Amino acid sequence: MSQLEGASIHIRGIVQGVGFRPFVYGLATKLSLTGWVRNTSAGVDIEVDGLSVNLARFLDALGAQAPPLARIDEIVVNRRPANGFSQFEIVQSAGDAQAVQPISADVGICPDCLRELFDSSDRRYRYPFINCTNCGPRFTIIKDIPYDRPKTTMAPFEMCVQCAAEYHDPLDRRFHAQPVACADCGPRIWLEIEGGRHAAQEEALQAARGLLRKGKIVAIKGLGGFHLACDATNPEAVAELRRRKLRVDKPFALMMPDLATVEHHCLISSDERELLESRERPIVLLARKTGSPIVQEVAPRQRTLGVMLPYTPLHYLLLAQEEGMPEALVMTSGNLSEEPIATDNQEARERLLPLADAFLMHDREIHMRCDDSVVRVFGRTDGDGLVYSLRRGRGYAPTPIKIGWDAPAMLTAGAELKNAFCLTKHKYAFLSHHIGDLENYETLHSFEQGVAHFERLFRVQPEVLAYDLHPDYLATRYAWARAEREGLTAIGVQHHHAHIASCMAEHGLSGAQPVIGVVFDGTGYGDDGAIWGGEFLIADYQGYQRSYHLAYVPLPGGDKAIKEPWRQALAWLQLAGVGWDEDLPPVGAVAPEARAAVKRQIEVGLNTPLTSSMGRLFDAVSALAGVRQMANYEAQAAIEFETRVDPDEGGSYPFDIGEREIDPTPLIRAIVADIRAWVPVDMIAARFHTGVALMVHEVCKALREQHHLNEVVLSGGVWQNMTLLTKSYELLTQDGFDVYVHQQVPANDGGLALGQAAIAAHMINN
Ligand code: ZN
Ligand code: ZN
Ligand code: FE
């Protein structure tokens, strides 16, 4: 016999702004339960009374049937006698200054809203800001918590009677959808040309489409910032965009109207299809089909294209395939070269004026800048590929990463390039969205704004700061200055140690047992002052032991050598005892005076640090093989070298694995011999990649012997090289190693702050 009972329920996780309260309301009323539900700063609280059998069903369904955007991290249930409620209701949010409440990332338009958008009988027909509880802007419009309309940039728009009715109806899809709006009461679009308002609403949209068809460049305000758009099949338009943006060679992202069009231009697996259509709507790196009319200049000398599907209603309206609209638009961030993406209308007018022929504006303010995310699928076996994050932004941030320890209130500053910072509290790590390269004032300012916003949003007042050991990183200096000013504990974390910890943390490894960490990247400050980057560390969260590393080589000219790979190639030739003869590409490519200067730098050691960087070895070999002597963007030489790999070539080059050092000079000599024997570049590229993978396997085997460890963690930016990752992963897993690769968090420095947090937390707890 079922009897009347009660329960107090506390739920933690992403449960606000995702339709969770209406879901609870619907469920409770269906089961004849009484009581209430409300948002708190820490999650959702529920009080219910009802028959015990119904109560049990209610508790089961809470987790099992939660709305698609909800993520429940914890449910605490306290049984109690019935309270005697008379009905079920949704009550006012309760604030609590100390609590941590994850908030939802921005969500791509849902199928219901998309249907309404193109339904001429719907009252929101062709309204560019249609959204509901299941989709729309979140992170980029939220100013503070609890997530309610007055605390978003929707505050200035007063709801019309019809929108308000939907907003207040617990059974409506738009119940408490904070950005709810319609053409009568919500944000609007307009088009500006040469500083003047040219057209508004539908007319503005059609005018923008007309300009794009004609090969013009249009700045388009989106969710997390402005894009610069142009026809990706028009060579003049793309070349003009490159010229205006001062961007040489670095690939542009594309937006295509639908999957069928993507399939027309790219080869896609079922995993890639799923990712493209996911509500996060990232840019997915896809294999380009030969014969696609996308102009080569979009991604020069690459075999891949970065493609995303539309994610806002405005995008769908803009790309609709009528009237000869281009099948693909370049959609690149609205900025000049390396500055942050523009978000504010006035800022965009000022900064993008020389770049855009017209501006498609709207009047919903973007509170937090957020770039598009970039991912690819690792493992091409259809159906079990892994998401591999390259840049974590819109759609993913600020969803917290659950961590396996109780973290103090901490801020970790991250690295210099591809910066992201991280806040921790309780069992959450709030890794920020991609901030950018902290090399100019604008990006540093964006970093500081982001930190202040995250601290407020997640109610974290840091007691501890962690930073990279590199004394010149702006993020490091920020942490030092702040620790000094606020009297906080500051902890320096070695770069490559942080890389390994980042990968361990995202996989929830306890750290009770050390792992074999293979960290390959471009630049990281070593604890001996040299530039590391080809490292085998035995590591846990507390510490590391540098077991093997790539042999040191002079880096002639320091940072200059990163932009000029030929310099590193000459240094390796010298170390390998190979003369600088002009038949070798990096020698023949530069003037004798420049070579003489490099020779002097190596001899005297002037502005020539030592490095064990694997990224630089890739650069050097790319230059040696004649692929690229000068880089226009980070890692270009290595990236273009990878595209040359001949998949049918089975050979490899040898490393000399010593006691602690791994010497690549035998490999350098073998490549020189191949060049002189006219072996094609594609075979050289394949032999090099296989050689590195075999070396990784050999060293891991030696470390397994020595330390009786079986877990291998692969981290660092070089692991974005899919050829190397795939070959190494196969060799290691086939030999019985448990191999961990990055998924949610980038392998590059964009994931570093999470590792810093893991290490600093464990150092404090001990
Ligand atoms: Zn929707
Ligand atoms: Zn309205
Ligand atoms: Fe790094």
Side-chain angles (χ1 to χ4, degrees):
M1 184 52 201
S2 200
Q3 54 187 356
L4 210 57
E5 266 196 282
S8 305
I9 302 161
H10 305 279
I11 300 179
R12 256 181 202 285
I14 299 176
V15 286
Q16 293 190 13
V18 295
F20 197 78
R21 286 174 304 167
F23 154 72
V24 171
Y25 177 91
L27 193 63
T29 43
K30 201 169 73 190
L31 294 168
S32 311
L33 304 180
T34 56
W36 51 259
V37 55
R38 71 170 181 197
N39 281 348
T40 71
S41 304
V44 162
D45 283 356
I46 305 169
E47 291 290 339
V48 274
D49 286 357
L51 293 177
S52 50
V53 56
N54 287 347
L55 213 52
R57 278 209 225 143
F58 179 76
L59 292 171
D60 282 346
L62 268 185
Q65 294 169 22
L69 299 185
R71 190 186 90 183
I72 295 175
D73 290 332
E74 188 184 36
I75 301 186
V76 179
V77 180
N78 291 307
R79 300 278 186 162
R80 53 160 178 74
N83 265 340
F85 298 112
S86 59
Q87 54 173 345
F88 196 89
E89 54 189 339
I90 296 172
V91 302
Q92 202 58 43
S93 302
D96 168 1
Q98 288 316 305
V100 182
Q101 163 65 52
I103 61 170
S104 168
D106 298 292
V107 183
I109 183 171
C110 74
D112 290 328
C113 286
L114 191 57
R115 201 174 319 110
E116 291 170 354
L117 181 67
F118 290 104
D119 173 0
S120 58
S121 68
D122 192 273
R123 74 183 195 89
R124 291 190 181 84
Y125 177 55
R126 298 187 69 79
Y127 178 57
F129 301 93
I130 187 171
N131 67 79
C132 73
T133 318
N134 299 322
C135 73
R138 298 288 187 276
F139 172 56
T140 53
I141 62 164
I142 295 177
K143 293 176 156 178
D144 203 355
I145 54 162
Y147 174 56
D148 275 326
R149 191 170 174 113
K151 289 181 175 167
T152 71
T153 61
M154 282 301 290
F157 301 96
E158 201 181 320
M159 278 183 269
C160 68
V161 176
Q162 275 176 294
C163 285
E166 292 166 324
Y167 180 90
H168 290 294
D169 175 1
L171 298 177
D172 193 280
R173 199 172 92 245
R174 296 196 165 87
F175 176 70
H176 281 222
Q178 307 304 344
V180 72
C182 74
D184 291 335
C185 65
R188 293 165 171 234
I189 57 167
W190 67 91
L191 189 78
E192 288 182 19
I193 298 179
E194 284 169 3
R197 222 177 239 247
H198 179 79
Q201 324 302 28
E202 189 65 33
E203 236 178 275
L205 180 74
Q206 294 309 331
R209 284 167 57 91
L211 290 169
L212 290 166
R213 277 198 305 269
K214 276 191 265 175
K216 299 292 183 193
I217 297 165
V218 183
I220 298 166
K221 189 176 184 180
L223 269 186
F226 277 80
H227 282 117
L228 290 167
C230 74
D231 180 354
T233 60
N234 180 330
E236 290 86 44
V238 176
E240 181 63 17
L241 179 57
R242 281 212 179 276
R243 199 184 59 73
R244 292 190 197 169
K245 244 195 123 175
L246 305 179
R247 177 146 152 166
V248 187
D249 291 345
K250 195 174 179 185
F252 285 139
L254 299 172
M255 186 177 277
M256 299 186 190
D258 48 44
L259 269 182
T261 310
V262 181
E263 277 180 316
H264 184 212
H265 298 282
C266 302
L267 293 164
I268 54 178
S269 68
S270 63
D271 299 306
E272 288 162 339
R273 193 171 305 130
E274 218 171 278
L275 260 175
L276 283 163
E277 284 195 299
S278 69
R279 59 175 175 258
E280 290 86 4
R281 292 288 160 97
I283 296 167
V284 185
L285 290 196
L286 302 169
R288 177 195 178 113
K289 274 189 184 167
T290 49
S292 152
I294 305 284
V295 301
Q296 212 62 46
E297 268 300 288
V298 164
R301 290 173 297 280
Q302 306 246 350
R303 285 184 186 171
T304 54
L305 290 173
V307 182
M308 60 184 151
L309 291 179
Y311 53 87
T312 69
L314 182 60
H315 294 150
Y316 273 99
L317 294 167
L318 206 57
L319 274 93
Q321 292 296 290
E322 302 148 6
E323 307 142 24
M325 257 315 268
E327 288 183 71
L329 293 181
V330 167
M331 286 287 255
T332 185
S333 5
N335 56 7
L336 193 64
S337 218
E338 304 303 330
E339 290 176 3
I341 185 168
T343 51
D344 175 73
N345 289 355
Q346 191 48 35
E347 179 202 5
R349 283 183 196 108
E350 287 161 14
R351 285 173 50 202
L352 305 183
L353 189 65
L355 282 76
D357 298 308
F359 290 79
L360 188 58
M361 298 282 205
H362 65 69
D363 55 359
R364 187 178 65 203
E365 199 195 316
I366 297 171
H367 187 69
M368 202 19 48
R369 168 182 291 125
C370 195
D371 291 88
D372 295 319
S373 295
V374 186
V375 301
R376 71 186 303 169
V377 171
F378 163 60
R380 297 282 306 207
T381 335
D382 224 16
D384 58 31
L386 304 173
V387 183
Y388 196 69
S389 173
L390 301 173
R391 181 168 81 192
R392 192 173 171 276
R394 176 189 50 77
Y396 298 99
T399 306
I401 293 148
K402 275 214 284 180
I403 48 181
W405 62 91
D406 224 338
M410 184 187 322
L411 166 68
T412 67
E416 176 96 333
L417 297 180
K418 300 183 165 68
N419 178 278
F421 59 85
C422 185
L423 283 180
T424 59
K425 195 170 176 181
H426 303 319
K427 290 205 158 25
Y428 287 129
F430 297 94
L431 182 63
S432 80
H433 52 296
H434 167 82
I435 302 289
D437 298 346
L438 291 186
E439 291 182 314
N440 52 51
Y441 170 77
E442 289 76 14
T443 316
L444 179 66
H445 184 61
S446 182
F447 168 87
E448 290 172 346
Q449 275 181 330
V451 168
H453 186 52
F454 266 60
E455 287 179 7
R456 181 182 164 90
L457 214 50
F458 301 116
R459 302 288 191 262
V460 179
Q461 185 57 52
E463 291 152 14
V464 180
L465 302 177
Y467 57 89
D468 191 274
L469 294 177
H470 200 306
D472 296 331
Y473 281 4
L474 290 181
T476 298
R477 293 188 178 178
Y478 168 90
W480 283 344
R482 187 161 169 192
E484 169 102 19
R485 198 168 60 235
E486 297 177 19
L488 305 175
T489 308
I491 297 175
V493 179
Q494 201 279 323
H495 189 93
H496 303 94
H497 187 201
H499 268 303
I500 297 173
S502 165
C503 192
M504 290 171 69
E506 78 155 285
H507 286 286
L509 298 190
S510 73
Q513 186 156 243
V515 299
I516 300 168
V518 187
V519 197
F520 291 169
D521 69 356
T523 303
Y525 198 80
D527 59 22
D528 58 357
I531 297 173
W532 292 9
E535 314 301 316
F536 290 81
L537 308 181
I538 300 298
D540 54 23
Y541 294 122
Q542 270 90 7
Y544 65 93
Q545 174 196 332
R546 192 186 192 200
S547 296
Y548 286 88
H549 62 87
L550 215 55
Y552 282 135
V553 61
L555 186 65
D559 281 352
K560 208 169 178 189
I562 298 174
K563 297 194 168 101
E564 301 183 8
W566 64 270
R567 291 169 170 268
Q568 186 76 105
L570 294 196
W572 274 120
L573 285 172
Q574 173 141 332
L575 231 56
V578 180
W580 292 357
D581 302 321
E582 299 219 353
D583 66 322
L584 298 173
V587 183
V590 292
E593 306 82 68
R595 276 181 254 153
V598 164
K599 182 149 255 159
R600 247 187 336 272
Q601 280 177 325
I602 294 174
E603 279 164 12
V604 184
L606 183 70
N607 192 19
T608 297
L610 291 176
T611 185
S612 57
S613 164
M614 181 57 87
R616 295 290 87 77
L617 180 66
F618 271 75
D619 284 353
V621 172
S622 173
L624 187 55
V627 171
R628 179 156 287 278
Q629 310 303 334
M630 305 286 270
N632 295 311
Y633 60 87
E634 201 201 354
Q636 183 181 13
I639 290 166
E640 292 185 4
F641 192 48
E642 188 199 350
T643 67
R644 300 299 298 271
V645 168
D646 175 356
D648 298 324
E649 166 60 26
S652 66
Y653 298 125
F655 285 84
D656 186 358
I657 301 169
E659 285 273 298
R660 303 248 336 252
E661 282 194 1
I662 301 155
D663 178 8
T665 55
L667 168 147
I668 299 289
R669 286 189 290 271
I671 294 175
V672 168
D674 273 358
I675 292 168
R676 290 186 165 144
W678 302 103
V679 172
V681 170
D682 302 26
M683 286 171 74
I684 295 178
R687 290 173 185 179
F688 174 71
H689 283 79
T690 307
V692 176
L694 289 170
M695 177 273 282
V696 168
H697 183 206
E698 280 311 306
V699 176
C700 286
K701 277 198 294 193
L703 289 170
R704 174 162 66 185
E705 288 278 279
Q706 293 163 27
H707 298 272
H708 308 286
L709 298 173
N710 202 50
E711 294 184 313
V712 177
V713 170
L714 306 178
S715 188
V718 171
W719 291 109
Q720 294 170 109
N721 182 316
M722 277 296 129
T723 307
L724 177 67
L725 181 64
T726 307
K727 282 179 195 275
S728 306
Y729 187 85
E730 278 172 12
L731 286 168
L732 290 167
T733 48
Q734 278 163 13
D735 193 14
F737 286 99
D738 298 320
V739 185
Y740 295 91
V741 304
H742 281 279
Q743 288 181 252
Q744 310 173 58
V745 165
N748 60 48
D749 286 1
L752 207 74
L754 177 64
Q756 291 173 343
I759 292 166
H762 285 82
M763 282 165 85
I764 288 170
N765 289 344
N766 278 277

